[in-house]
Amino acid sequence: QSALTQEASVSGTVGQKVTLSCTGNSNNIGSYAVGWYQQISHGSPKTVMFGNSLPSGIPDRFSGSKSGTTASLTISGLQPEDEADYYCSTWDYSLNAQVFGGGTKLTVL
Amino acid sequence: QVQLQESGPGLVKPSQTLSLTCTVSGDSISSDFYYWAWIRQPPGKGLEWIGYIFYSGNTYYNPSLKSRVTISVDMSKNHFSLNLTSVTAADTAVYYCARGPTAWVDYWGQGALVTVSS
């Protein structure tokens, strides 16, 4: 069981806005920024967001936010190439460890 | 551009030690801002953090693996290594090395599949 909870699956159509969530507690998301990773077809993960910052080369249709113990990754203007598994992670000070969510499979219809 | 590359045996026998090395280019492993991490992904499953090391040698490990894991750094070769002892089939996974500033990863290696089998 993952320390962070993500939806198992989310779907959307091309051009739609979708939001993926990552829920933790005060020991992790409530205290630290969150990273988001995209993994296409079991390839190597790629970082698409850390905190509220967009890494170089990531389209600005990706954005991140956090409210309390829930972080969100929003993709505005969904594209076919966004279909992937998405994972979140942060630090947990009670576990003294980095923790990951179980991942969300995003399907573009 | 920071690049990380895993290397090591792709097949390890049960009860033996899994050893992998991550060679870093485009950054110095002696950076005092970043950590150097190992993360794994069993077939068909999600990502699991194994642990990380700072250039100073300070290490943090996943509590569930702590008794079997050692991560070390070799600044002269600009690489860091993973040793996981007493492996079983449950340790079969793609192992990624990565860089990050504390709570997240910013660069990932390509991954190395390690199969535990006799």
Side-chain angles (χ1 to χ4, degrees), chain B residues 60-101:
Chain B
Y60 295 84
Y61 298 134
N62 186 322
S64 69
L65 298 170
K66 189 172 184 175
S67 63
R68 299 194 291 130
V69 173
T70 302
I71 298 175
S72 58
V73 65
D74 186 334
M75 283 188 276
S76 68
K77 295 181 180 176
N78 215 44
H79 75 207
F80 63 106
S81 300
L82 168 70
N83 274 0
L84 180 66
T85 62
S86 304
V87 297
T88 69
D91 295 309
T92 293
V94 176
Y95 285 76
Y96 296 101
C97 60
R99 186 192 84 164

Side-chain angles (χ1 to χ4, degrees), chain A residues 13-107:
Chain A
T13 56
V14 173
Q16 190 177 7
K17 181 170 80 171
V18 295
T19 298
L20 312 183
S21 68
C22 176
T23 301
N25 59 40
S26 58
N27 297 331
N28 43 61
I29 292 179
S31 298
Y32 297 93
V34 173
W36 288 91
Y37 316 103
Q38 177 193 65
Q39 187 176 39
I40 297 174
S41 299
H42 303 292
S44 175
K46 181 199 307 186
T47 302
V48 294
M49 184 67 55
F50 45 83
N52 297 326
S53 300
L54 206 57
S56 173
I58 302 301
D60 61 6
R61 64 176 180 274
F62 287 85
S63 63
S65 64
K66 187 175 76 167
S67 177
T69 58
T70 297
S72 299
L73 177 71
T74 297
I75 309 173
S76 303
L78 197 60
Q79 297 298 306
E81 61 265 30
D82 298 331
E83 183 163 291
D85 294 325
Y86 289 84
Y87 295 89
C88 58
S89 82
T90 191
W91 185 256
D92 188 303
Y93 68 74
S94 68
L95 297 174
N96 221 23
Q98 190 169 73
V99 291
F100 280 89
T104 295
K105 182 176 182 60
L106 174 63
T107 301

